[in-house]
Amino acid sequence: MTQQMTDPAALVPWEGARFPPRAWQAEALPIVIQAMRQGRRGIVCAVMGAGKSILVAEVVRLATRRLCGRAVVVCAPSRRLVRQLAATIGDRIGADRVGMFYTASKQDDRDVVVCCNASLHTLARELQSAGRGVALLVLDEAHKSEAKTVREVLPILSPVCVLGVTATPFRSVPRETVSLFDEVLYRYDMADAQRDGVLVPMRVERWTGPEKTEIDDACAAMIREHGDGPGIVSARSIADAETYAADLTTMGIDAAPIHSGMTRAEQDARLDDLQAGRLRCLVHVALLAEGVDLPWLRWLCLRRKVGARVRFLQEIGRVL
């Protein structure tokens, strides 16, 4: 870290935070700061639901003490994550200092800019045109940092410091790895989170009925027997989600589809119905990807095959 960037001693970590940090967050923060001071590109690996965004918000807060016109850029792979991160960081440092940058929003003049990966090239050009450097680049869901867009734009941004955070730091497919980083700075795994009460232990129910039972019938039977409280069921496609939700409803299990073909307002309304008990389950296509925070879910039904280890862990982590 240069002298023009944050001196962490100038701010008291976690001072004024709405909630005290979890033990792992408090332990990880000085390790991250030390790595940035030494110019090491490090990554924090913490299981889904552990509170990575809270740690990111505190790192960003420390990094905005003396920016000298430079920006802090936080990248995420989806617009949903951009909005969530912007809200979390804004809650810590003030919403007026945090901008969002993606297709429908171009707030690149703020101290902190939370950007969708797909818009990173455009943001880099805007910052370059404005003569703004980048003091800190945070790559959320860093297992996707191998994407061509991120790798190509990194030299343009030329950040003083780089930090990655992810729950799944291992290679699943070629575009999901973490070669941009020098080392893992801190690990907080599922066993740690269960020990601390952050995650609940997982209970797996397997089909024990007739071997030749159709998958859809088996899933419906298991939902009836084990599906207490709000849950979700996976689907192969939008059409499959629509069809199976209708089938479940016909069988007496109140269900509705949720997918990218719906507006954000429609998706939020479906989630509200599920949480309130007006629906027993939602049939989804890709609801449980990065950045989805639904701690009130009680169960999920893995109805379709999951080919990637990263995707599998992301899905089950949303319920735990």
Side-chain angles (χ1 to χ4, degrees):
M1 224 182 254
T2 67
Q3 288 185 338
Q4 289 180 314
M5 197 180 166
T6 303
D7 176 6
L11 290 174
V12 178
W14 311 108
E15 185 178 42
R18 183 179 298 182
F19 302 104
R22 290 174 173 166
W24 83 265
Q25 295 162 340
E27 189 174 68
L29 182 63
I31 296 172
V32 169
I33 296 301
Q34 182 65 18
M36 293 196 302
R37 280 176 167 167
Q38 296 173 350
R40 290 148 45 209
R41 290 183 178 180
I43 191 167
V44 172
C45 305
V47 69
M48 295 76 67
K52 293 184 291 296
S53 62
I54 299 299
L55 176 65
V56 167
E58 196 63 24
V59 172
V60 168
R61 171 178 172 263
L62 297 179
T64 55
R65 178 64 173 175
R66 288 191 293 271
L67 289 174
C68 299
R70 291 178 295 190
V72 171
V73 176
V74 181
C75 292
S78 69
R79 286 174 290 179
R80 180 190 290 271
L81 255 180
V82 167
R83 292 189 290 265
Q84 288 181 1
L85 282 167
T88 301
I89 297 169
D91 184 63
R92 189 69 181 108
I93 70 171
D96 58 327
R97 300 181 67 190
V98 183
M100 294 185 291
F101 198 92
Y102 57 93
T103 307
S105 179
K106 296 290 188 290
Q107 300 169 322
D108 57 287
D109 59 343
R110 310 290 176 88
D111 289 342
V112 179
V113 184
V114 186
C115 178
C116 185
N117 286 357
S119 299
L120 196 53
H121 262 302
T122 305
L123 175 61
R125 289 196 298 268
E126 293 295 327
L127 293 176
Q128 204 171 42
S129 297
R132 295 185 73 192
V134 175
L136 170 64
L137 173 65
V138 179
L139 295 172
D140 191 37
E141 304 298 343
H143 57 277
K144 292 194 172 181
S145 62
E146 200 73 7
K148 185 178 179 182
T149 302
V150 177
R151 295 185 66 84
E152 288 182 348
V153 82
L154 201 58
I156 302 172
L157 291 172
S158 189
V160 176
C161 299
V162 179
L163 173 68
V165 292
T166 183
T168 48
F170 42 78
R171 187 182 182 118
S172 176
V173 293
R175 66 179 179 276
E176 293 189 346
T177 186
V178 288
S179 64
L180 292 178
F181 300 93
D182 302 324
E183 61 187 305
V184 173
L185 299 173
Y186 192 91
R187 289 185 184 273
Y188 187 73
D189 62 22
M190 191 172 291
D192 296 327
Q194 290 181 349
R195 176 201 65 212
D196 295 342
V198 174
L199 298 183
V200 299
M202 177 170 58
R203 188 178 82 240
V204 179
E205 300 289 351
R206 302 182 185 276
W207 174 246
T208 57
E211 186 176 345
K212 293 185 179 181
T213 304
E214 293 291 332
I215 289 176
D216 285 355
D217 293 335
C219 288
M222 294 183 74
I223 291 169
R224 287 194 192 95
E225 183 176 357
H226 304 293
D228 296 326
I232 51 173
V233 184
S234 57
R236 294 180 295 275
S237 64
I238 290 176
D240 183 40
E242 299 271 2
T243 300
Y244 194 55
D247 290 345
L248 287 174
T249 301
T250 300
M251 289 184 276
I253 300 170
D254 292 332
I258 185 168
H259 50 70
S260 61
M262 304 166 62
T263 66
R264 182 186 173 194
E266 289 171 333
Q267 293 181 33
D268 289 344
R270 291 280 166 88
L271 289 169
D272 287 343
D273 287 342
L274 181 63
Q275 186 176 11
R278 293 184 288 271
L279 290 171
R280 189 166 177 184
C281 63
L282 292 176
V283 185
H284 77 101
V285 181
L287 175 64
L288 299 183
E290 298 92 343
V292 177
D293 186 17
L294 306 173
W296 41 266
L297 283 177
R298 298 297 302 277
W299 59 270
L300 65 84
C301 177
L302 294 173
R303 175 174 160 266
R304 61 163 173 77
K305 292 181 179 180
V306 181
R309 184 184 178 194
V310 168
R311 178 65 175 268
F312 176 76
L313 289 178
Q314 290 283 352
E315 287 204 18
I316 64 171
R318 303 306 157 192
V319 178
L320 300 183

